[in-house]
Amino acid sequence: MPKLTLLLLPTGSPELNPTEQVWQQLRDRSLANRCYDSYEQIVDACCDAWNAFTEIPGAIRSLCTRTWANLGVTDGML
């Protein structure tokens, strides 16, 4: 990729980190303000939250897509 430019992202910027945005959605929709009696219940709740989140069409793509970081297709490449 001859025209590839690396963008240095500032540290401590969760809005620029797609993983943080996914976790925020999981917390907002399923995991916030709850108490669990065991580690297994926490794992089960996280798995249930993830499975429900992945069933929402386009949810991950909408959080992980940035217009400024779009590679796109040029000259038949990619």
Side-chain angles (χ1 to χ4, degrees), residues 6-7 9-10 12 14 23 31 37-38 40 44-45 51 56-57 61 67-68 70-71 75:
L6 295 179
L7 301 173
L9 302 177
W23 272 113
L31 301 175
D37 292 327
S38 68
E40 289 77 21
D44 289 342
N51 290 333
I56 302 169
R61 181 176 299 221
T67 56
W68 51 265
N70 186 5
L71 293 176
D75 297 36

Side-chain angles (χ1 to χ4, degrees), residues 18 21-22 53 56-66:
Q21 293 187 28
V22 170
F53 179 69
I56 302 169
I60 296 172
R61 181 176 299 221
S62 70
L63 294 175
C64 300
T65 302
R66 301 288 178 265

Side-chain angles (χ1 to χ4, degrees), residues 1-6 69-78:
M1 299 184 129
K3 295 183 181 183
L4 182 65
T5 302
L6 295 179
N70 186 5
L71 293 176
V73 177
T74 55
D75 297 36
M77 303 201 62
L78 192 68

Side-chain angles (χ1 to χ4, degrees), residues 20-64:
E20 289 297 327
Q21 293 187 28
V22 170
W23 272 113
Q24 184 65 46
Q25 289 294 314
L26 294 178
R27 284 190 298 268
D28 290 348
R29 294 173 184 268
S30 304
L31 301 175
N33 300 320
R34 304 198 192 281
C35 291
Y36 302 100
D37 292 327
S38 68
Y39 174 77
E40 289 77 21
Q41 285 183 346
I42 295 170
V43 171
D44 289 342
C46 289
C47 289
D48 292 343
W50 173 254
N51 290 333
F53 179 69
T54 59
E55 294 296 320
I56 302 169
I60 296 172
R61 181 176 299 221
S62 70
L63 294 175
C64 300

